[in-house]
């Protein structure tokens, strides 16, 4: 059963996010879809949603505290208010654009793991590492996993090559197959692929046995497209 996840990034308002979630829920209910569907709206769109048990609303970010003086951040009291128990950690836009340091990423991982959150932990190599070959890619990816408890039962890994995120460049099926197969030898957690996934390329990616699902940004922001992706995901084992 493939996992289909949508990352809204800095898109959708509170109103449009709630309409999106409602439409996805109605579809899942009507179609009796059992696959896990994860949606990461902006923090301002988090709310208590009356949705199917296999839809998980997650936060794109939070600071590893309950509350305190961390201007601009949210803590677990804000997530608890809406029953949010799913979080995205280590996304490349936070690592590379916001310059979130690895020590903080690891701190977040430990903090939210200790509180039983479902964690989607992102890893991915930049273009210069990709150009150095498979061995360099794997070494880089495992360096991003250092300090992370890979045996955590609520862990989902998202392999998202940095050069494929938001660029329209999707890794080839052979690239995805190769990297996922190697990761799978050492990681028992589900591994999602992310990077310019769209309705017209998702099927071939999900057909790979070593791919347990996808994490989708821009290709998922139109609700009809996201529903189509869920439909395709539901057909794969
Ligand atoms: C993402 O945000 O995790 C992502 C993969 O983005 P996009 O699908 O837009 O490349």
């Amino acid at each position: 059963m493939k996992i289909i996840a949508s990352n809204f990034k800095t898109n959708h308002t509170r109103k449009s996010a709630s309409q999106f979630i409602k439409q996805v829920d109605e579809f899942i209910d009507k179609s009796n879809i059992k696959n896990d569907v994860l949606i990461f709206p902006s923090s301002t769109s988090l709310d208590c949603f009356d949705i199917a048990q296999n839809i998980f609303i997650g936060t794109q970010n939070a600071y590893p505290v309950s509350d305190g003086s961390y201007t601009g951040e949210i803590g677990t009291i804000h997530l608890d208010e809406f029953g949010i128990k799913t979080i995205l950690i280590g996304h490349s836009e936070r690592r590379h654009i916001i310059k979130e340091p690895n020590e903080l990423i690891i701190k977040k991982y430990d903090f939210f793991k200790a509180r039983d959150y479902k964690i989607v932990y992102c890893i991915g190599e930049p273009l210069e590492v990709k150009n150095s070959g498979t061995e360099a890619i794997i070494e880089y990816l495992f360096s991003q996993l250092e300090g992370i408890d890979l045996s955590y039962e609520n862990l989902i890994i998202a392999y998202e090559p940095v050069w494929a995120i938001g660029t329209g460049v999707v890794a080839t099926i052979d690239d995805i197959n190769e990297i996922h197969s190697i990761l799978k030898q050492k990681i028992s957690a589900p591994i999602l692929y992310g990077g310019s996934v769209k309705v017209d390329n998702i099927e071939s990616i999900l057909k790979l046995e070593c791919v347990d699902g996808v994490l989708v940004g821009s290709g998922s922001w139109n609700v009809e497209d996201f529903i189509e992706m869920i439909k395709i995901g539901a057909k794969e084992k």
Side-chain angles (χ1 to χ4, degrees):
M1 294 247 274
K2 306 281 178 167
I3 300 165
I4 309 292
S6 170
N7 175 15
F8 283 8
K9 310 192 190 196
T10 320
N11 298 280
H12 275 298
T13 60
R14 184 169 178 77
K15 191 172 171 193
S16 70
S18 113
Q19 284 165 346
F20 183 109
I21 292 164
K22 188 164 177 266
Q23 242 176 290
V24 170
D25 180 57
E26 281 168 1
F27 167 74
I28 287 204
D29 187 39
K30 174 179 93 204
S31 319
N32 202 21
I33 301 268
K34 299 281 179 239
N35 301 46
D36 283 352
V37 171
L38 280 57
I39 302 173
F40 295 92
S42 70
S43 304
T44 59
S45 304
L46 296 176
D47 209 337
C48 292
F49 296 101
D50 183 16
I51 45 178
Q53 278 187 347
N54 53 326
I55 305 179
F56 298 86
I57 304 299
T59 184
Q60 294 175 25
N61 181 43
Y63 208 63
V65 290
S66 152
D67 58 304
S69 299
Y70 305 93
T71 302
E73 297 287 338
I74 59 169
T76 54
I77 59 161
H78 308 100
L79 300 171
D80 289 348
E81 192 177 9
F82 304 125
I84 305 290
K85 291 293 272 181
T86 301
I87 186 166
L88 202 56
I89 297 181
H91 191 279
S92 73
E93 286 157 6
R94 294 203 61 83
R95 289 182 192 265
H96 297 282
I97 301 174
I98 295 163
K99 310 276 183 231
E100 193 166 300
N102 211 44
E103 306 80 73
L104 178 58
I105 293 172
I106 293 173
K107 203 167 163 190
K108 286 184 181 181
Y109 185 85
D110 289 341
F111 180 88
F112 288 100
K113 178 192 147 206
R115 285 154 189 79
D116 293 328
Y117 277 63
K118 186 189 280 297
I119 298 175
V120 177
Y121 188 82
C122 305
I123 56 173
E125 81 286 357
L127 189 59
E128 63 272 19
V129 174
K130 178 196 168 32
N131 290 340
S132 305
T134 307
E135 219 174 287
I137 299 175
I138 295 300
E139 197 180 312
Y140 187 91
L141 297 179
F142 277 104
S143 75
Q144 291 185 315
L145 291 169
E146 260 166 46
I148 297 303
D149 174 10
L150 290 175
S151 65
Y152 177 46
E153 58 181 358
N154 278 329
L155 168 63
I156 297 172
I157 299 284
Y159 168 57
E160 303 201 302
V162 178
W163 46 271
I165 297 184
T167 57
V169 181
V170 66
T172 65
I173 292 298
D174 286 348
D175 281 342
I176 301 172
N177 196 22
E178 182 181 36
I179 302 300
H180 273 245
S181 302
I182 298 172
L183 292 174
K184 280 262 170 208
Q185 288 167 13
K186 299 222 166 101
I187 300 172
S188 55
I191 306 178
L192 314 183
Y193 170 76
S196 299
V197 175
K198 308 273 179 241
V199 172
D200 51 12
N201 62 20
I202 191 173
E203 190 162 9
S204 53
I205 296 169
L206 290 179
K207 282 222 176 299
L208 295 173
E209 213 179 301
C210 53
V211 170
D212 299 302
V214 285
L215 174 57
V216 193
S218 62
S220 67
W221 299 337
N222 172 304
V223 70
E224 280 81 24
D225 288 347
F226 189 55
I227 286 175
E228 191 56 35
M229 291 180 172
I230 297 171
K231 256 191 226 169
I232 295 169
K235 283 193 287 179
E236 303 300 329
K237 273 188 269 142

